[in-house]
Amino acid sequence: MPDGTRGPAVGSTAPGDWPGTDPHEANRAVRGELGGANLPFLPSLPARGPGSDAVGRTLGVLVELPFDLQPHGWRLVPRPGKDQRRAESALSSDINALGDVAGAEESPAPRVKLHLHGPLSLAAGAHLHGGERVLIDHGARRELYESLAAGAADLVRRVSAVARGAGVLVQFDEPDADDVLTGRVPTASGYRTVRALDRREATEAWDLVTASVVAAGAAGTVLAPGHGDVAVDAARSSAAPTLSLDLRRISDRRWEDLAGDIESGRQLWLAILDTRTGIPQVRVLAESVLAAWRRVGLPATALASLTITALPGLDALTPVGATQALTRLAQVADALDQVRAEG
């Protein structure tokens, strides 16, 4: 059954981080470049400081879990304070800017993507009042998962109210998932590591947040589990209808698995652009995808399951550079869609 995570053609998007501090300017740039079959996103602006970073921004959507910022990082606390208000205010400004920009468009985009830290990486990145990571405490983890599920659902409803009928997708980023699942996350002291999380708990947490946002009206969800084998295996066994993976990190064995997933209806987002090493030509980027596609024997028509994206890091560029990256991704999507149409 279609889950709303792509259009009828090969499209492109980006992770969500963006340079600068002006949310109106950021939304105009993103929506200006990602038209047609491409997927615009609600930009986050880490340059604004704490509360606009990946962990702080996600904490800002939690329900009934106050937090503050300490020298060692974000911490759950009994009462909200100025750090929480700052994170919540930044997110509200971003949503309002999206509404302003979408409201001024003659033909608003039919879809928009949100991005949040996933439950595992949030548990690794947030701390308890005493300083240890939330990850270390089973009860605290469960409370965090449930709060994130409720808060992400609220975020979907808030964005839907200003997005002029656009379908809202939610991408859950899990950069720390493999470390969490293999016991490589250090404790607060740094002298030992937190015990590996059970894979069943990981998939249950992912399924919880997925079900919550879909129940709130989300058009679909995307899970970005990082590149470790354990995390990717766990993600493949979750209910997430779409996975987002780094093309360069996919082995031939993994491609065999993904080919089966695609044939079974799962959609795939491929990060093909690392802006730290420049912006290659369209032909080079398109061929990197097609070479893998041919190697595993997928037909060109199966490119309809594909959305291309970039690795995180667009916020390290200038606004002009980040816009150029989106332009290139849209051009590559067009090139791949021509192959699909001819296939």
Side-chain angles (χ1 to χ4, degrees), residues 14-143:
D17 50 326
W18 195 259
T21 59
D22 184 338
H24 286 84
E25 181 180 290
N27 274 283
R28 281 192 291 267
V30 168
R31 296 174 73 85
E33 294 301 318
L34 296 179
N38 302 304
L39 177 57
F41 52 89
L42 178 67
S44 61
L45 305 171
R48 289 183 301 200
S52 293
D53 59 291
V55 174
R57 183 179 179 87
T58 304
L59 289 173
V61 311
L62 297 185
V63 173
E64 297 181 353
L65 277 186
F67 58 94
D68 69 7
L69 182 62
Q70 296 294 313
H72 60 267
W74 292 101
R75 177 185 70 163
L76 301 182
V77 293
R79 291 175 298 278
K82 62 180 177 63
D83 300 314
Q84 178 168 344
R85 289 191 292 272
R86 181 177 182 177
E88 291 171 346
S89 175
L91 181 57
S92 292
S93 295
D94 293 342
I95 295 171
N96 291 338
L98 171 64
D100 292 342
V101 174
E105 294 172 341
E106 290 186 11
S107 300
R111 300 177 300 154
V112 63
K113 177 174 74 74
L114 315 178
H115 64 285
L116 294 168
H117 245 34
L120 274 59
S121 296
L122 191 62
H127 299 77
L128 299 168
H129 191 267
E132 278 295 354
R133 299 177 190 273
V134 172
L135 189 61
I136 208 164
D137 184 287
H138 180 271
R141 291 196 308 269
R142 173 54 55 184
E143 192 174 7

Side-chain angles (χ1 to χ4, degrees), residues 264-306:
S264 298
R266 178 168 262 159
Q267 295 170 26
L268 179 65
W269 288 13
L270 284 181
I272 65 169
L273 178 61
D274 184 352
T275 54
R276 295 172 300 179
T277 57
I279 301 179
Q281 295 299 311
V282 172
R283 179 185 56 79
V284 173
L285 291 170
E287 187 55 36
S288 68
V289 175
L290 294 173
W293 222 251
R294 297 186 194 106
R295 222 171 30 245
V296 78
L298 282 167
T301 52
L303 288 166
S305 67
L306 180 66

